[in-house]
């Protein structure tokens, strides 16, 4: 897991071959990104720390529990992408694309992670 002040497109499979403006917009707007969804063996996850923080009027980051939780949740979300999970629409689910504070992972998602890891370790 890399905690950065900007995301890097090197090795990110979902951005390969995309127009430069799409890559730039994705890297600018994303809270985090992984090189390849579902690759549990060789992968890289990145968390864009500034995109996960709130700032005070002078431009300094507010390092309160809410912001620390946002960074942790984004890191976990990206780790779950590496384990094979995709985005879902349920706002309570940790895999919701909008990262709205969800912290739920369903039994089906847990089963899918275990199956994916076991398959790749054979």
């Amino acid at each position: 897991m890399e905690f950065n002040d900007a995301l890097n497109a090197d090795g990110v499979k979902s951005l390969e071959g995309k127009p430069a403006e799409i890559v730039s917009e994705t890297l600018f707007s994303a809270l985090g990104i992984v090189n390849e969804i579902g690759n549990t063996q060789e992968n890289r996850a990145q968390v864009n720390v500034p995109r996960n923080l709130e700032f005070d009027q002078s431009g300094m980051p507010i390092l309160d529990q809410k912001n620390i939780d946002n960074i942790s949740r984004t890191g976990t979300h990206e780790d779950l992408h590496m384990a094979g999970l995709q985005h879902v629409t349920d706002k309570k689910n940790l895999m919701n694309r909008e990262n709205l504070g969800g912290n739920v992972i369903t039994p089906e998602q847990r089963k899918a992670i275990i199956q994916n890891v076991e398959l790749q370790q054979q």
Side-chain angles (χ1 to χ4, degrees), residues 10 20 26 46 58 66 69 72 82 116 118:
D10 293 343
T26 300
Q46 303 174 68
S58 67
K66 177 183 173 190
D69 289 348
S72 297
M82 288 195 300
N116 188 41
E118 287 176 344

Side-chain angles (χ1 to χ4, degrees), residues 43-59:
N43 213 335
R44 173 180 73 155
Q46 303 174 68
V47 173
N48 186 339
V49 174
R51 289 276 299 134
N52 284 278
L53 294 176
E54 293 176 352
F55 294 85
D56 65 21
Q57 292 177 341
S58 67

Side-chain angles (χ1 to χ4, degrees), residues 47-114:
V47 173
N48 186 339
V49 174
R51 289 276 299 134
N52 284 278
L53 294 176
E54 293 176 352
F55 294 85
D56 65 21
Q57 292 177 341
S58 67
M60 296 299 297
I62 301 169
L63 295 176
D64 61 7
Q65 193 61 50
K66 177 183 173 190
N67 286 321
I68 292 167
D69 289 348
N70 287 344
I71 293 168
S72 297
R73 188 173 23 265
T74 299
T76 303
H77 176 102
E78 297 308 322
D79 283 343
L80 291 171
H81 275 313
M82 288 195 300
L85 296 185
Q86 301 283 342
H87 288 136
V88 299
T89 57
D90 180 358
K91 292 182 180 229
K92 294 179 182 176
N93 195 290
L94 185 57
M95 293 309 295
N96 181 279
R97 176 184 299 275
E98 297 169 15
N99 196 17
L100 300 171
N103 60 3
V104 173
I105 297 295
T106 67
E108 294 80 13
Q109 288 172 307
R110 286 192 285 279
K111 183 177 178 182
I113 290 169
I114 292 166

Side-chain angles (χ1 to χ4, degrees), residues 2-21:
E2 297 176 16
F3 295 91
N4 303 317
D5 61 359
L7 301 177
N8 183 312
D10 293 343
V12 178
K13 301 240 185 265
S14 64
L15 296 178
E16 289 177 357
K18 301 276 181 168
E21 60 272 6

Side-chain angles (χ1 to χ4, degrees), residues 32-49:
I33 200 163
V34 297
N35 280 8
E36 184 178 6
I37 292 176
N39 183 341
T40 65
Q41 303 301 303
E42 296 179 18
N43 213 335
R44 173 180 73 155
Q46 303 174 68
V47 173
N48 186 339
V49 174

